[in-house]
Amino acid sequence: MKKQIFVASLLTFCLSGQAQIHQTDNSDSAQVKRTYNLNPIVVTGSGHHQRLKSTATPVHVLSAQEISEQGITTFDEALTRMMPQASMAPNSMGTFLRLNGLGNKYILILMNGQKLSGDISNNVDLNRINMARVKRIEILDGAASSLYGSDAIGGVINIITDQPTNSVCSVTNTTKVSGHGILTESINLDIYKNGFGSYTSFAHDRADSYQNNNLEFVKGSDTETQQTIAPFFTGYRSNIVGQKFTYAPNRHLALNAGMDYYYKITNRPETREDITGGTDYEMRYKGLRWNIGGIYKFTAKNSLQANFTVDRFRYGKEYDVATKKYAVGDYVQSKKQRTMEGEMKAILGLVEGSTTILGANYRKDYLTATSGDIHQHAYTLAAYAQHEHRLLRDLTVTVGLRYTHHETFGNQFSPKAVLMYAPGNFRFRATYSQGFRAPGLDEIYYRYFSVNRGKAQIIFGNPDLKAERSHYVSLNAEYRSDLLAVSVTGFLNRINDMVVRQDIPVDGTSLEMLRQEFPEMTDDQAGKLERYSRYQNSDLGDVKGLQMNVSANLFQGFNLSANYVYTYARTKSDEEWTMMERSIRHAATIAANYHHRWGHYSLHVNLNGKLQSKTYYTTYEDAPGFGVWNLHTVHTFDGLKRIILQPSIGVDNIFDRVDCRIDSANRKYALYTPGRMLVVGLKVKFNASGTRGSRR
């Protein structure tokens, strides 16, 4: 493993990055010319559209083309296969995402610039993202609260969706199947004419539960084992239905309105008397998100934007086994969230060589948690400004400031300053920014009591919590041309007043208090209670890292890219420093792409690998490192007038890497694959206009 990491690091240092790939039709020939564009348009780093090499804040871009070429159809696959600084830990309560050593609650996820709400025990429900509509994914490392407000401490992930405007009517169907019942299916209907656009989509995603080892340690023993049906990966099925309308009556005004409905339910083995690991219920999730917005362009450099979004999300237990209290089919709600957010932003070119952004934001969060006895809400008001100015021919400075008033935590100021020196194809950047995070309503108001396998679990919120704050500094050097992109970034992220759940031992006095607080607790449960938890501001976070990214078009039709990240993430509680939970010291991704075209047939071959060192767990056994390689081929047939056929076939996890350790309370994992799997897919695009559309 160390040798693999060293080779990946050396390869990255010499050669790597992220490349957007486009195909263009040649009107004089049926032959398609393939070019690699290493300078895509991005919006997340600066808050306005500009070329990647022109943005003062470095941004990683995952294009729909790259995602498709690697045979990726889910959001978590896109991040973990293509971003070495990202890792996932899936479970029945959502997906635990980490970016640059920091977990879910420090990562802000946006859909077209608007926050994606809804979480399960601080685990983001990433199944809400319809990958069939993704145009690109932009990842901004580090604190970005000056533009994006609360939660933008560890980074920002902005999912930009697609809305084609080059065809009268098109229908696209994409299917992917592989082992263990994994199936993703999507269909898009796009209509655009005379400035009016209608974009309808449906996506279905499912997977079966599976085990890598059907043994577990008997409780209280490190040697004696027993069989279990508890899944290593929890199966599920989910559906997303989306509808978006756009209308652009002239070149100045563009309006949009959209809605997405989401449903997901787990598929776990049922409780049995003869073996452990079954459950009485499935977890059920529902989400409804709608938004309206528009942009008015006074001139090419001056515009006014407005958006309003309502996001609802809820989850709970749907019983499929009859119990003393519930019948089959009963639903018990655990948590319901609702967010209303409105934003207005002006992008102005007031002075030659400058861009000024002025914005205001209102947000209100509602939380109802039956298990935590919460019925609370809080609002946030914010105003922000950012000015980007080219002082000299090659020198650009960006300064920004956000003022936030939170109903519970008062006033916060979040500054940002970036300096970029850009001679020729080189870029040298220095960034300082602050981030802050207002603790969630559950961390403030929780009064949680539940029983798991006969043991009581008690968690209290803390209304005296302080907002978490961070200081982020980075230095970046980059070279970017049409054939080669090389980037090196060093960063430091220091987080103060981290909110953690502290365990408090139970003594005679506290036990009496807890029994009064939760009279439903039985004598047997009280006798087994050893500790309870309360949220506290206690820890200091310190993340240092180095990123190296390179991408090269070595010869016509062949691209090689590699990305390496070193992350040293620690927390300090009292006077003791420990490695941050689930942090990874070394990680790398490598991808080789080959494309060639013969007449109306084109072949694309992609070989990609993800390598990482061990994953640290503070109170558990560390998970070992791994290297997983995948091979994917795409075959495009576009000889028909209205239809493009794109079958694909590949192998995931070529070398069959699997973590088969026996499950126990003291064991956590980093590799969740069930092993080698054949992957088969088919994409069919019908264009009613009769012209050959994009072969993306």
PDB file of all heavy atoms in Angstrom, residues 306-326:
ATOM      1  N   ALA A 306     -32.338  36.948  -8.534  1.00  0.00           N
ATOM      2  CA  ALA A 306     -33.185  36.711  -7.365  1.00  0.00           C
ATOM      3  C   ALA A 306     -33.640  35.258  -7.372  1.00  0.00           C
ATOM      4  O   ALA A 306     -33.966  34.710  -8.439  1.00  0.00           O
ATOM      5  CB  ALA A 306     -34.384  37.647  -7.365  1.00  0.00           C
ATOM      6  N   ASN A 307     -33.643  34.617  -6.199  1.00  0.00           N
ATOM      7  CA  ASN A 307     -34.064  33.224  -6.070  1.00  0.00           C
ATOM      8  C   ASN A 307     -34.806  33.033  -4.755  1.00  0.00           C
ATOM      9  O   ASN A 307     -34.461  33.645  -3.731  1.00  0.00           O
ATOM     10  CB  ASN A 307     -32.858  32.280  -6.093  1.00  0.00           C
ATOM     11  CG  ASN A 307     -32.188  32.206  -7.447  1.00  0.00           C
ATOM     12  OD1 ASN A 307     -32.673  31.551  -8.354  1.00  0.00           O
ATOM     13  ND2 ASN A 307     -31.068  32.908  -7.580  1.00  0.00           N
ATOM     14  N   PHE A 308     -35.815  32.163  -4.791  1.00  0.00           N
ATOM     15  CA  PHE A 308     -36.527  31.789  -3.575  1.00  0.00           C
ATOM     16  C   PHE A 308     -36.727  30.284  -3.604  1.00  0.00           C
ATOM     17  O   PHE A 308     -37.215  29.726  -4.601  1.00  0.00           O
ATOM     18  CB  PHE A 308     -37.879  32.494  -3.471  1.00  0.00           C
ATOM     19  CG  PHE A 308     -38.635  32.141  -2.215  1.00  0.00           C
ATOM     20  CD1 PHE A 308     -38.243  32.671  -0.988  1.00  0.00           C
ATOM     21  CD2 PHE A 308     -39.712  31.270  -2.251  1.00  0.00           C
ATOM     22  CE1 PHE A 308     -38.924  32.351   0.176  1.00  0.00           C
ATOM     23  CE2 PHE A 308     -40.398  30.939  -1.095  1.00  0.00           C
ATOM     24  CZ  PHE A 308     -40.002  31.484   0.124  1.00  0.00           C
ATOM     25  N   THR A 309     -36.329  29.603  -2.515  1.00  0.00           N
ATOM     26  CA  THR A 309     -36.358  28.141  -2.460  1.00  0.00           C
ATOM     27  C   THR A 309     -37.035  27.677  -1.177  1.00  0.00           C
ATOM     28  O   THR A 309     -36.796  28.233  -0.094  1.00  0.00           O
ATOM     29  CB  THR A 309     -34.925  27.566  -2.503  1.00  0.00           C
ATOM     30  OG1 THR A 309     -34.266  28.022  -3.680  1.00  0.00           O
ATOM     31  CG2 THR A 309     -34.952  26.043  -2.502  1.00  0.00           C
ATOM     32  N   VAL A 310     -37.869  26.667  -1.301  1.00  0.00           N
ATOM     33  CA  VAL A 310     -38.460  25.986  -0.147  1.00  0.00           C
ATOM     34  C   VAL A 310     -38.066  24.514  -0.244  1.00  0.00           C
ATOM     35  O   VAL A 310     -38.279  23.873  -1.277  1.00  0.00           O
ATOM     36  CB  VAL A 310     -39.988  26.127  -0.113  1.00  0.00           C
ATOM     37  CG1 VAL A 310     -40.569  25.313   1.046  1.00  0.00           C
ATOM     38  CG2 VAL A 310     -40.390  27.598   0.017  1.00  0.00           C
ATOM     39  N   ASP A 311     -37.491  23.989   0.826  1.00  0.00           N
ATOM     40  CA  ASP A 311     -36.997  22.616   0.838  1.00  0.00           C
ATOM     41  C   ASP A 311     -37.577  21.900   2.055  1.00  0.00           C
ATOM     42  O   ASP A 311     -37.363  22.322   3.201  1.00  0.00           O
ATOM     43  CB  ASP A 311     -35.467  22.614   0.891  1.00  0.00           C
ATOM     44  CG  ASP A 311     -34.873  21.284   0.443  1.00  0.00           C
ATOM     45  OD1 ASP A 311     -35.642  20.324   0.289  1.00  0.00           O
ATOM     46  OD2 ASP A 311     -33.645  21.219   0.241  1.00  0.00           O
ATOM     47  N   ARG A 312     -38.305  20.818   1.812  1.00  0.00           N
ATOM     48  CA  ARG A 312     -38.890  20.014   2.888  1.00  0.00           C
ATOM     49  C   ARG A 312     -38.280  18.615   2.862  1.00  0.00           C
ATOM     50  O   ARG A 312     -38.124  18.026   1.788  1.00  0.00           O
ATOM     51  CB  ARG A 312     -40.414  19.900   2.724  1.00  0.00           C
ATOM     52  CG  ARG A 312     -41.153  21.229   2.781  1.00  0.00           C
ATOM     53  CD  ARG A 312     -42.614  21.025   2.392  1.00  0.00           C
ATOM     54  NE  ARG A 312     -43.372  22.260   2.431  1.00  0.00           N
ATOM     55  CZ  ARG A 312     -44.099  22.693   3.459  1.00  0.00           C
ATOM     56  NH1 ARG A 312     -44.161  21.942   4.560  1.00  0.00           N
ATOM     57  NH2 ARG A 312     -44.756  23.820   3.421  1.00  0.00           N
ATOM     58  N   PHE A 313     -37.991  18.098   4.042  1.00  0.00           N
ATOM     59  CA  PHE A 313     -37.396  16.763   4.140  1.00  0.00           C
ATOM     60  C   PHE A 313     -37.867  16.126   5.436  1.00  0.00           C
ATOM     61  O   PHE A 313     -37.922  16.781   6.480  1.00  0.00           O
ATOM     62  CB  PHE A 313     -35.868  16.859   4.129  1.00  0.00           C
ATOM     63  CG  PHE A 313     -35.175  15.525   4.190  1.00  0.00           C
ATOM     64  CD1 PHE A 313     -35.060  14.739   3.057  1.00  0.00           C
ATOM     65  CD2 PHE A 313     -34.640  15.050   5.376  1.00  0.00           C
ATOM     66  CE1 PHE A 313     -34.423  13.507   3.099  1.00  0.00           C
ATOM     67  CE2 PHE A 313     -34.004  13.825   5.432  1.00  0.00           C
ATOM     68  CZ  PHE A 313     -33.893  13.050   4.288  1.00  0.00           C
ATOM     69  N   ARG A 314     -38.211  14.853   5.348  1.00  0.00           N
ATOM     70  CA  ARG A 314     -38.642  14.124   6.556  1.00  0.00           C
ATOM     71  C   ARG A 314     -38.221  12.670   6.445  1.00  0.00           C
ATOM     72  O   ARG A 314     -38.058  12.138   5.346  1.00  0.00           O
ATOM     73  CB  ARG A 314     -40.153  14.219   6.741  1.00  0.00           C
ATOM     74  CG  ARG A 314     -40.971  13.514   5.686  1.00  0.00           C
ATOM     75  CD  ARG A 314     -42.458  13.619   5.962  1.00  0.00           C
ATOM     76  NE  ARG A 314     -42.925  14.984   5.867  1.00  0.00           N
ATOM     77  CZ  ARG A 314     -44.132  15.399   6.274  1.00  0.00           C
ATOM     78  NH1 ARG A 314     -44.960  14.536   6.827  1.00  0.00           N
ATOM     79  NH2 ARG A 314     -44.493  16.650   6.140  1.00  0.00           N
ATOM     80  N   TYR A 315     -38.054  12.035   7.594  1.00  0.00           N
ATOM     81  CA  TYR A 315     -37.777  10.601   7.596  1.00  0.00           C
ATOM     82  C   TYR A 315     -38.339   9.981   8.867  1.00  0.00           C
ATOM     83  O   TYR A 315     -38.627  10.674   9.864  1.00  0.00           O
ATOM     84  CB  TYR A 315     -36.282  10.316   7.461  1.00  0.00           C
ATOM     85  CG  TYR A 315     -35.446  10.588   8.689  1.00  0.00           C
ATOM     86  CD1 TYR A 315     -35.225   9.598   9.646  1.00  0.00           C
ATOM     87  CD2 TYR A 315     -34.858  11.833   8.896  1.00  0.00           C
ATOM     88  CE1 TYR A 315     -34.447   9.836  10.761  1.00  0.00           C
ATOM     89  CE2 TYR A 315     -34.078  12.082  10.005  1.00  0.00           C
ATOM     90  CZ  TYR A 315     -33.875  11.078  10.938  1.00  0.00           C
ATOM     91  OH  TYR A 315     -33.110  11.329  12.045  1.00  0.00           O
ATOM     92  N   GLY A 316     -38.501   8.674   8.821  1.00  0.00           N
ATOM     93  CA  GLY A 316     -39.031   7.955   9.974  1.00  0.00           C
ATOM     94  C   GLY A 316     -38.972   6.457   9.745  1.00  0.00           C
ATOM     95  O   GLY A 316     -38.332   5.973   8.812  1.00  0.00           O
ATOM     96  N   LYS A 317     -39.675   5.728  10.586  1.00  0.00           N
ATOM     97  CA  LYS A 317     -39.641   4.266  10.582  1.00  0.00           C
ATOM     98  C   LYS A 317     -40.964   3.720  10.029  1.00  0.00           C
ATOM     99  O   LYS A 317     -42.036   4.096  10.509  1.00  0.00           O
ATOM    100  CB  LYS A 317     -39.416   3.735  12.000  1.00  0.00           C
ATOM    101  CG  LYS A 317     -38.164   4.281  12.668  1.00  0.00           C
ATOM    102  CD  LYS A 317     -38.114   3.901  14.140  1.00  0.00           C
ATOM    103  CE  LYS A 317     -36.898   4.489  14.828  1.00  0.00           C
ATOM    104  NZ  LYS A 317     -36.873   4.181  16.289  1.00  0.00           N
ATOM    105  N   GLU A 318     -40.857   2.833   9.035  1.00  0.00           N
ATOM    106  CA  GLU A 318     -42.027   2.141   8.504  1.00  0.00           C
ATOM    107  C   GLU A 318     -41.892   0.671   8.872  1.00  0.00           C
ATOM    108  O   GLU A 318     -40.978  -0.012   8.396  1.00  0.00           O
ATOM    109  CB  GLU A 318     -42.121   2.319   6.990  1.00  0.00           C
ATOM    110  CG  GLU A 318     -43.380   1.703   6.400  1.00  0.00           C
ATOM    111  CD  GLU A 318     -43.526   2.009   4.927  1.00  0.00           C
ATOM    112  OE1 GLU A 318     -43.765   3.182   4.573  1.00  0.00           O
ATOM    113  OE2 GLU A 318     -43.387   1.056   4.127  1.00  0.00           O
ATOM    114  N   TYR A 319     -42.795   0.176   9.704  1.00  0.00           N
ATOM    115  CA  TYR A 319     -42.658  -1.173  10.269  1.00  0.00           C
ATOM    116  C   TYR A 319     -43.083  -2.230   9.255  1.00  0.00           C
ATOM    117  O   TYR A 319     -44.140  -2.129   8.621  1.00  0.00           O
ATOM    118  CB  TYR A 319     -43.490  -1.296  11.549  1.00  0.00           C
ATOM    119  CG  TYR A 319     -42.798  -0.672  12.735  1.00  0.00           C
ATOM    120  CD1 TYR A 319     -42.835   0.705  12.937  1.00  0.00           C
ATOM    121  CD2 TYR A 319     -42.066  -1.446  13.626  1.00  0.00           C
ATOM    122  CE1 TYR A 319     -42.171   1.289  14.003  1.00  0.00           C
ATOM    123  CE2 TYR A 319     -41.402  -0.872  14.695  1.00  0.00           C
ATOM    124  CZ  TYR A 319     -41.453   0.496  14.874  1.00  0.00           C
ATOM    125  OH  TYR A 319     -40.788   1.081  15.924  1.00  0.00           O
ATOM    126  N   ASP A 320     -42.211  -3.241   9.090  1.00  0.00           N
ATOM    127  CA  ASP A 320     -42.558  -4.395   8.268  1.00  0.00           C
ATOM    128  C   ASP A 320     -42.602  -5.681   9.093  1.00  0.00           C
ATOM    129  O   ASP A 320     -42.767  -6.767   8.553  1.00  0.00           O
ATOM    130  CB  ASP A 320     -41.601  -4.552   7.086  1.00  0.00           C
ATOM    131  CG  ASP A 320     -40.140  -4.493   7.492  1.00  0.00           C
ATOM    132  OD1 ASP A 320     -39.859  -4.553   8.707  1.00  0.00           O
ATOM    133  OD2 ASP A 320     -39.279  -4.387   6.609  1.00  0.00           O
ATOM    134  N   VAL A 321     -42.439  -5.553  10.409  1.00  0.00           N
ATOM    135  CA  VAL A 321     -42.600  -6.654  11.354  1.00  0.00           C
ATOM    136  C   VAL A 321     -43.516  -6.168  12.477  1.00  0.00           C
ATOM    137  O   VAL A 321     -43.300  -5.075  13.024  1.00  0.00           O
ATOM    138  CB  VAL A 321     -41.243  -7.113  11.942  1.00  0.00           C
ATOM    139  CG1 VAL A 321     -41.461  -8.158  13.033  1.00  0.00           C
ATOM    140  CG2 VAL A 321     -40.344  -7.667  10.846  1.00  0.00           C
ATOM    141  N   ALA A 322     -44.514  -6.944  12.800  1.00  0.00           N
ATOM    142  CA  ALA A 322     -45.426  -6.552  13.875  1.00  0.00           C
ATOM    143  C   ALA A 322     -44.721  -6.627  15.224  1.00  0.00           C
ATOM    144  O   ALA A 322     -43.999  -7.587  15.514  1.00  0.00           O
ATOM    145  CB  ALA A 322     -46.653  -7.454  13.870  1.00  0.00           C
ATOM    146  N   THR A 323     -44.904  -5.609  16.047  1.00  0.00           N
ATOM    147  CA  THR A 323     -44.351  -5.574  17.401  1.00  0.00           C
ATOM    148  C   THR A 323     -45.501  -5.387  18.393  1.00  0.00           C
ATOM    149  O   THR A 323     -46.667  -5.294  18.006  1.00  0.00           O
ATOM    150  CB  THR A 323     -43.343  -4.422  17.547  1.00  0.00           C
ATOM    151  OG1 THR A 323     -44.037  -3.172  17.443  1.00  0.00           O
ATOM    152  CG2 THR A 323     -42.278  -4.492  16.452  1.00  0.00           C
ATOM    153  N   LYS A 324     -45.154  -5.320  19.684  1.00  0.00           N
ATOM    154  CA  LYS A 324     -46.190  -5.113  20.701  1.00  0.00           C
ATOM    155  C   LYS A 324     -46.893  -3.772  20.514  1.00  0.00           C
ATOM    156  O   LYS A 324     -48.063  -3.626  20.847  1.00  0.00           O
ATOM    157  CB  LYS A 324     -45.565  -5.179  22.091  1.00  0.00           C
ATOM    158  CG  LYS A 324     -45.044  -6.563  22.476  1.00  0.00           C
ATOM    159  CD  LYS A 324     -44.462  -6.547  23.884  1.00  0.00           C
ATOM    160  CE  LYS A 324     -43.948  -7.920  24.284  1.00  0.00           C
ATOM    161  NZ  LYS A 324     -43.360  -7.924  25.656  1.00  0.00           N
ATOM    162  N   LYS A 325     -46.170  -2.796  19.949  1.00  0.00           N
ATOM    163  CA  LYS A 325     -46.711  -1.440  19.859  1.00  0.00           C
ATOM    164  C   LYS A 325     -47.180  -1.080  18.460  1.00  0.00           C
ATOM    165  O   LYS A 325     -48.101  -0.280  18.291  1.00  0.00           O
ATOM    166  CB  LYS A 325     -45.640  -0.447  20.321  1.00  0.00           C
ATOM    167  CG  LYS A 325     -46.139   0.959  20.527  1.00  0.00           C
ATOM    168  CD  LYS A 325     -45.051   1.827  21.147  1.00  0.00           C
ATOM    169  CE  LYS A 325     -45.554   3.241  21.403  1.00  0.00           C
ATOM    170  NZ  LYS A 325     -44.508   4.108  22.002  1.00  0.00           N
ATOM    171  N   TYR A 326     -46.544  -1.680  17.418  1.00  0.00           N
ATOM    172  CA  TYR A 326     -46.844  -1.251  16.052  1.00  0.00           C
ATOM    173  C   TYR A 326     -47.228  -2.439  15.178  1.00  0.00           C
ATOM    174  O   TYR A 326     -46.706  -3.547  15.342  1.00  0.00           O
ATOM    175  CB  TYR A 326     -45.635  -0.541  15.431  1.00  0.00           C
ATOM    176  CG  TYR A 326     -45.204   0.685  16.200  1.00  0.00           C
ATOM    177  CD1 TYR A 326     -44.038   0.665  16.972  1.00  0.00           C
ATOM    178  CD2 TYR A 326     -45.962   1.845  16.173  1.00  0.00           C
ATOM    179  CE1 TYR A 326     -43.637   1.788  17.675  1.00  0.00           C
ATOM    180  CE2 TYR A 326     -45.573   2.968  16.884  1.00  0.00           C
ATOM    181  CZ  TYR A 326     -44.408   2.937  17.633  1.00  0.00           C
ATOM    182  OH  TYR A 326     -44.027   4.038  18.336  1.00  0.00           O
TER     183      TYR A 326
END
